[in-house]
Amino acid sequence: MPEPNISSPYYQALNQALAQRGVSVSDVCPDDDAVARRVLHDYGAMFVGAQNILPPPACIFTSEDQVSQFQEAAGRAPATIGDAVIELQPAAMRALLRARATALAEGLDITPRDGAEAARRDYADTVRLWNSRFLPALDHWKNVGRQSESQVDRLRALPINEQVREVLELEKEGIFFSKDLSKSVLYSIAAPGTSQHIAMLAFDANEFLDSRVREILATEGWFQTVLSDLPHFTFLGLAEGELPERGLKSVDVNGQKFWIPDVE
Ligand SMILES: [Zn+2]
C-alpha cells in the first residue's frame, strides 16, 4: 500500500475534524496498522461529517462491548419502513425520514434493502458477513489448489483481525475473497468491526438506481461514499458544496457520483 499523503486534502480535513473532538488521527487509526489505514481510506468519509453526528472512536472496533458503548453514546433512533425496523444516529434518521417524505410526495420511495440490516448493525453482524465471504472463498482456493489444507486450517484458526490482514496479503497475489472471487473482499463487504453501519451512519436503499432518489438523499446530506457499493449511502449531514473542503473528491462510476477521501 502506498504511504498515505498526510498533506492531502482528506488528511488535512481529518486532522481538523478530529482535533475539534480532542483526538488525533493516530488515536483513531494507528499509523502502523495497514488494515486500519485501508479502512480509513475506503470508509473514512464519515469522519469528516457534520458536528451533529458522532464518528466512531476507532477505525476498527474489536468487540461487541466497544460497539454497544459507542452506539449507546451516539443514540439509536428507530423507524419502521415497510416490514423493517431500522436504527440510525438521530440526525441521520431525521434526514432519512425527510428524504423519504420528499420521495413519497413525488410518487417515489426510499426503502431499506434486506430489512433491518440496511441500517444499524452490531459487531456480530459484521463477523457473520465476513464469514459468509471468507469461508466459501477459502474452500474454493483449496479446491483449485491455490491453498493447501494446512494453509486453510491455519487461516480459519486465526483471530479475525489477523484473518483480515492475511486475506489482504493473499489478494495482492490474485487470491480474491469477494463473492465472485474476482476482486477484493472489501469491495463486497466491510472488514469485521469497520462498517459505517456499525457507526449507524449508513443506509442501503433499494432505489439507488433512481437518479432523482439519489438527488433527494444528497439534498438531505446522504451521499454515496464507498466505491463499488452502489446501494450504500452515508450520512454526512453536509451540503454537497461543502464536501471538497472536507477533503472529499467526487468520482463518477456508471453515472453515479461518489464522494471519497482525497488521499493523493
Ligand atoms: Zn451498506
Side-chain angles (χ1 to χ4, degrees):
M1 197 185 72
E3 281 294 300
N5 179 355
I6 53 165
S7 62
S8 64
Y10 176 69
Y11 273 89
Q12 285 186 17
L14 181 65
N15 276 318
Q16 204 178 348
L18 293 178
Q20 283 171 3
R21 299 179 188 270
V23 290
S24 71
V25 178
S26 53
D27 294 334
V28 174
C29 223
D31 301 319
D32 57 354
D33 184 338
V35 176
R37 284 300 154 137
R38 166 99 185 245
V39 163
L40 183 64
H41 298 171
D42 286 352
Y43 311 130
M46 64 180 163
F47 288 100
V48 291
Q51 274 296 319
N52 65 349
I53 60 175
L54 186 66
C59 282
I60 304 180
F61 284 98
T62 53
S63 72
E64 198 72 87
D65 265 2
Q66 193 189 17
V67 168
S68 29
Q69 273 177 33
F70 162 77
Q71 291 186 344
E72 203 63 38
R76 288 163 53 169
T80 304
I81 300 181
D83 297 334
V85 178
I86 59 163
E87 291 177 300
L88 291 168
Q89 290 196 21
M93 183 59 87
R94 286 193 298 272
L96 180 68
L97 295 178
R98 281 196 304 268
R100 183 161 189 252
T102 304
L104 288 170
E106 296 182 20
L108 302 167
D109 203 352
I110 298 175
T111 59
R113 196 175 170 88
D114 300 327
E117 208 158 74
R120 185 187 76 85
R121 293 178 195 159
D122 55 26
Y123 185 75
D125 291 325
T126 65
V127 172
R128 189 172 40 72
L129 278 172
W130 172 258
N131 285 330
S132 74
R133 301 297 191 273
F134 174 66
L135 296 174
L138 267 188
D139 281 340
H140 168 81
W141 295 118
K142 188 180 72 178
N143 291 339
V144 300
R146 297 282 303 268
Q147 290 285 286
S148 70
E149 184 95 47
S150 63
Q151 283 174 311
V152 165
D153 288 346
R154 190 185 71 84
L155 283 167
R156 258 190 240 271
L158 287 176
I160 200 153
N161 59 326
E162 289 174 37
Q163 286 176 354
V164 176
R165 206 174 308 284
E166 300 232 1
V167 159
L168 296 183
E169 285 302 313
L170 288 171
E171 288 185 335
K172 290 179 186 165
E173 301 161 31
I175 298 180
F176 290 116
F177 284 74
S178 67
K179 199 169 198 170
D180 66 3
L181 307 165
S182 74
K183 55 186 184 287
S184 173
V185 65
L186 296 187
Y187 283 125
S188 178
I189 53 147
T194 68
S195 171
Q196 291 181 345
H197 290 279
I198 286 185
M200 302 186 295
L201 295 170
F203 178 73
D204 298 337
N206 283 317
E207 297 78 8
F208 67 97
L209 287 173
D210 188 311
S211 61
R212 177 59 188 147
V213 165
R214 295 197 303 271
E215 193 174 78
I216 292 169
L217 283 166
T219 302
E220 295 295 347
W222 283 91
F223 302 94
Q224 287 159 299
T225 73
V226 180
L227 278 182
S228 319
D229 193 349
L230 299 174
H232 179 101
F233 291 79
T234 310
F235 183 65
L236 301 178
L238 301 167
E240 193 158 21
E242 295 176 89
L243 302 184
E245 71 206 44
R246 300 290 176 128
L248 304 178
K249 65 175 177 186
S250 70
V251 174
D252 231 63
V253 181
N254 300 329
Q256 299 190 35
K257 191 195 276 181
F258 290 78
W259 286 96
I260 63 168
D262 184 357
V263 294
E264 279 158 25

